[in-house]
Structures are given as C-alpha cells and as structure tokens.
Amino acid sequence: MFNLVFHHFKGDFVRRLLLIAFPIALQTMLFSSRSLVDILMLGQLGELDVAAIGIAGRALFVATIMLFGVTTGGAMLTAQYWGAGNQQGVKQSTALTVVMTTLTAMIAGSVFLFFPEQVIGLATQSQAVIELGADYLRITSFSMFAVAWGSSMAVGLRAMHQPGISTFFSAIGIALNMFLNWVLIFGHLGMPAMGIAGAALATVASGLVEISLLYGYLYSRRHLLAFGFSVMLEALEWSKIRRFLSLSLPTTLNHLAWSAGIFVYHAIIGQAGVQGLAALSVMTPIESFSLALIIGISNASAVMIGNQLGANRMEEAYYQAWAVAFFNLFCGVLVALTMLLMKDIVLDLFSALSGDTRELAERFFIVFAIAIIVKSIPMTMIVGVLRAGGDIRFCFYQDIAAQWLIGIPVTAFAALVLKLPLEWIYAMLMLEELVKCVGSTIRVKTRAWMNNLVAGTH
C-alpha cells in the first residue's frame, strides 16, 4: 500500500495539489486578515475593544462557517461535474449555491441586526464589552451577503482549478479594508474617529466592493460561471434542489454545530474575565493564519479526489486520499515549527496588551502550535476525503460526538469545576481532534466514502 501511496509524490500530483492549494490558502489568510487588522488597530484603543471584537468575530465566524457548509453541497457536485466534463452541471450547481447561500445570509444577518446584544451576552457578562460588540455586530450583519456571494463563486472556480481569480479580488478587498479601517477607526482624511463602528463599516464596504469587482470581471470575460437568470431557473428544479440539500443540509448542520461549539469554548474561557477573552481574541486570527496552508491542501484534495470519483477512478481516489493525509501532516509539522520561531515577532504586534494578558497569549500560542500537528490529519480526512465522496453523515455524527459529547463537557468541567489554569483549558480543544483523528482514519480505510455523486445526471 505504501508504494501505491508514495507513487503519487513521484508524478505531478503534488504540483497539481499545490497549484490549487496555494490560492485557497492565500484566500484563507486574506479572509483571516480582516479580523487581524481590526484587532491590531482596535488594540491601540484598549483591551475592551479587543475583547468585544473577539466575541463578535466568533459570532460572525459561526455564521460564515454555516455559509461555507451550504456551499459544500455545491462544491461536491461542481467538482464531480467538472471531473465528468459536464459544463452545464457546473453552471447549474454554482447558480443553485448562490441562491441557497443568499437565503442563509438573510437569516444570519437578521439575527445579528435585531439581536446583537443577546448574541454577545452569551459569551460575557461585561456590559461595556456587550455594548461595543453589539455595535460591531449590528453593522457587519450586512456583510453576510458579501460572504455568501463570494464563497459561492469561489467553490465553483475552485472546482474548475481556477481559485486564483477569487483570491485576486479578495486581496483587493483586504487592501481596501485596511485603508478604510485606518480612515474610519482613527478619523483620518477629515472623517470622524468611529472606533469599533468604523471597523465594522470598513468590513461591510470592502466586502461589497470586492464582490462587485469579482462578478464584474466574470461577466465581462463571459466566464463559464457568468450564468444568466435562465440558468438559475433551470437549477431550481426540485430534483436538483433535493440532491443539493441532501448534501448541504447535513454539512450545514455539521458546520453549524461545530462552529457553535467553538463559540461555546470561547464563552467558557470568557467566564474567567476580560483578560482571557482578550488573549483568546488575539489568538483567533493567528489560528486562522496558521491553519491556512492545511485548509488549502484539504480543500484542494477535495477537488482532486472529487474529480477522480466523478470520473469513476476509484482506486486512484483511494490512494490519493492517503497521500494528501501524509503530506498535510508534514505541512502541519513545518507550520508548527515556524510558529514557534516567530512567536515573539507576532505577539509584539499586539502592543496594547497588558503584561498578564501578553503572558497568557504566549502560553496559548505554544499550545496551539502543538495543536496544529494534531489537527492536520482529521482536517484532511474530513474536508479533503470523506466529504469529497459525499460521506457527510459520518462527518456530522463524528463531529457531534467528539465535540459536544466529549470535548465541551470535559472543557467545561476543567474550567468551571476544577478551575484549571486557562492555558490548560485552551489545550482541551485538542481532545476532540484526537477523537476525530482515530475515527476518520478508520473510516477512510473502509472505503465506504467512495461515491460517484453525479452518475447518471445531465
């Protein structure tokens, strides 16, 4: 078996994998940099702002992950349609993804717009933090549409091995976000200093500009994904919607349950006070940055394995699954070592942190560097392999069991009953990854995930 697995490293498999993975990784880093820039700039105002945007960011993260869950159904279908050479299927599945994410964005945005205080209040009892976080959440509720439309088109482009297009426009959006942050947070160029509300306005404006430019480019170039209203109507057939929902609903619930669990972890640590929230808020964008390459490789492998399954090359798909798992583990070790070498350089960027909060953030940093190695295997196998074959029910049940039945209860007991140091509580987040590592490895070996999802469709 090992000879068949490592055979992939001799050809152009790794090159093709990285050609897809690097733009996705870059896009993940660009997406993460929005919250990083907000925290760095607001950190100059005080730890209350950092704590507030950290909680609001986690709430937005739950909604964003839910949107990504909706796009997963489209991603699986589009990758297999592309592998089968069905261009009309690619267009229709992408169009259907846009419709479904728009509906999801309306629901999430409405919650943030009308109930922001209640959302922030789930993670802290500090009234000052709740008021600041609610202001940010209320304004950024409108950015949900930009996330929906951008992520829908990104999965279509990714399936066509063209992720660089959406990454390019993401870079423009980030640059604009940084500039508008500088103007609106601190009041430059004659604008009033708006603080955390300015950061929220910058996020919304830059996101809408980014999406306008992306769609404008695709339609001006008459790209395959520049579909018209007629394609959307064709995609809204009940048989297509039912197949899409059969893939997307379990994945969306899976994403929602998982991201809500991350919010619960945040709330558990938040019970220790603003200092723990501030340190955790600093770690949030650092976590996303650090995981970018692993996320990119996992998503790229989903495209390549999905292409193989759509073309009925089952043996090739199986051994590629193991190849990307080993490769991602190697990348996880490299990222962890890089993080440890850059620890002081990265944390020095957060100059407004108090001494105690800085020390806590340093301990969190070391814990997460170790966690990256643990995360690399289940992330590859779940995102890049099992979901590529439509094995979404197993992923859902495993996530629920690992997080809600094991991870969260143990973490809550350690924090609220044993009252262990915060870095030990933070380390508990690795427990569910260890459980998923064992479960996913066993599942991949069974080959039960290997399904052609587009056989017989036109």
Side-chain angles (χ1 to χ4, degrees), residues 180-319:
L180 291 177
N181 265 344
W182 177 75
V183 171
L184 298 175
I185 291 175
F186 304 110
H188 293 294
L189 301 181
M191 296 295 290
M194 302 175 67
I196 198 167
L201 284 171
T203 298
V204 174
S206 61
L208 293 177
V209 169
E210 175 188 327
I211 295 308
S212 300
L213 292 174
L214 171 61
Y215 277 68
Y217 171 83
L218 293 174
Y219 280 86
S220 67
R221 292 300 181 95
R222 301 184 184 278
H223 192 276
L224 177 63
L225 297 187
F227 45 80
F229 190 66
S230 59
V231 175
M232 298 185 80
L233 288 178
E234 291 172 9
L236 291 175
E237 292 180 7
W238 175 240
S239 61
K240 293 183 175 69
I241 293 174
R242 186 174 57 198
R243 188 170 71 251
F244 183 97
L245 291 177
S246 71
L247 296 170
S248 278
L249 276 180
T251 313
T252 302
L253 290 172
N254 190 171
H255 280 59
L256 181 60
W258 174 77
S259 57
I262 297 297
F263 188 84
V264 171
Y265 284 129
H266 205 113
I268 290 170
I269 293 177
Q271 298 306 309
V274 173
Q275 185 187 96
L277 282 175
L280 197 57
S281 298
V282 167
M283 286 305 302
T284 299
I286 293 173
E287 289 174 10
S288 300
F289 258 88
S290 305
L291 289 170
L293 179 60
I294 294 170
I295 291 171
I297 292 170
S298 299
N299 280 282
S301 62
V303 171
M304 294 181 67
I305 292 171
N307 290 165
Q308 300 287 10
L309 294 172
N312 281 318
R313 292 192 286 266
M314 299 299 175
E315 285 299 303
E316 194 80 2
Y318 179 74
Y319 291 111

Side-chain angles (χ1 to χ4, degrees), residues 302-368:
V303 171
M304 294 181 67
I305 292 171
N307 290 165
Q308 300 287 10
L309 294 172
N312 281 318
R313 292 192 286 266
M314 299 299 175
E315 285 299 303
E316 194 80 2
Y318 179 74
Y319 291 111
Q320 278 188 7
W322 289 106
V324 293
F326 287 123
F327 186 66
N328 225 8
L329 177 61
F330 171 74
C331 291
V333 174
L334 284 182
V335 171
L337 291 173
T338 305
M339 276 190 73
L340 292 174
L341 289 172
M342 297 184 63
K343 175 171 67 70
D344 291 332
I345 296 173
V346 172
L347 292 178
D348 283 345
L349 296 171
F350 301 90
S351 55
L353 297 179
S354 66
D356 289 343
T357 304
R358 164 65 187 248
E359 288 180 11
L360 182 60
E362 287 183 356
R363 294 195 289 272
F364 280 10
F365 201 98
I366 294 169
V367 168
F368 188 74

Side-chain angles (χ1 to χ4, degrees), residues 16-26 163 292-293 295-298 300:
R16 289 185 291 118
L17 181 72
L18 293 177
L19 279 175
I20 303 172
F22 276 138
I24 297 171
L26 180 57
L293 179 60
I295 291 171
I297 292 170
S298 299

Side-chain angles (χ1 to χ4, degrees), residues 36-313:
L36 177 62
V37 169
D38 286 349
I39 290 173
L40 283 174
M41 291 189 173
L42 288 169
Q44 299 177 41
L45 302 180
E47 285 191 3
L48 282 177
D49 293 271
V50 172
I53 200 170
I55 298 172
R58 277 302 187 192
L60 289 166
F61 174 76
V62 172
T64 301
I65 290 297
M66 185 169 68
L67 283 167
F68 287 171
V70 176
T71 66
T72 303
M76 286 187 279
L77 291 171
T78 307
Q80 294 205 12
Y81 274 129
W82 185 255
N86 187 339
Q87 292 194 351
Q88 190 64 15
V90 170
K91 291 169 69 172
Q92 289 182 358
S93 59
T94 305
L96 189 55
T97 305
V98 171
V99 173
M100 294 301 181
T101 55
T102 301
L103 293 173
T104 307
M106 289 176 64
I107 296 169
S110 296
V111 172
F112 295 152
L113 181 62
F114 297 113
F115 308 103
E117 289 88 358
Q118 289 85 343
V119 172
I120 302 297
L122 293 173
T124 182
Q125 297 176 354
S126 168
Q127 195 58 40
V129 173
I130 290 174
E131 289 176 5
L132 287 167
D135 286 343
Y136 184 86
L137 205 55
R138 190 178 292 110
I139 297 169
T140 49
S141 62
F142 296 99
S143 69
M144 287 291 97
F145 293 103
V147 175
W149 299 330
S151 58
S152 298
M153 203 55 70
V155 296
L157 291 167
R158 193 178 300 164
M160 297 172 63
H161 299 209
Q162 298 175 13
I165 295 175
S166 54
T167 301
F168 173 77
F169 289 102
S170 289
I172 294 176
I174 294 303
L176 180 60
N177 185 50
M178 292 175 65
F179 173 72
L180 291 177
N181 265 344
W182 177 75
V183 171
L184 298 175
I185 291 175
F186 304 110
H188 293 294
L189 301 181
M191 296 295 290
M194 302 175 67
I196 198 167
L201 284 171
T203 298
V204 174
S206 61
L208 293 177
V209 169
E210 175 188 327
I211 295 308
S212 300
L213 292 174
L214 171 61
Y215 277 68
Y217 171 83
L218 293 174
Y219 280 86
S220 67
R221 292 300 181 95
R222 301 184 184 278
H223 192 276
L224 177 63
L225 297 187
F227 45 80
F229 190 66
S230 59
V231 175
M232 298 185 80
L233 288 178
E234 291 172 9
L236 291 175
E237 292 180 7
W238 175 240
S239 61
K240 293 183 175 69
I241 293 174
R242 186 174 57 198
R243 188 170 71 251
F244 183 97
L245 291 177
S246 71
L247 296 170
S248 278
L249 276 180
T251 313
T252 302
L253 290 172
N254 190 171
H255 280 59
L256 181 60
W258 174 77
S259 57
I262 297 297
F263 188 84
V264 171
Y265 284 129
H266 205 113
I268 290 170
I269 293 177
Q271 298 306 309
V274 173
Q275 185 187 96
L277 282 175
L280 197 57
S281 298
V282 167
M283 286 305 302
T284 299
I286 293 173
E287 289 174 10
S288 300
F289 258 88
S290 305
L291 289 170
L293 179 60
I294 294 170
I295 291 171
I297 292 170
S298 299
N299 280 282
S301 62
V303 171
M304 294 181 67
I305 292 171
N307 290 165
Q308 300 287 10
L309 294 172
N312 281 318
R313 292 192 286 266

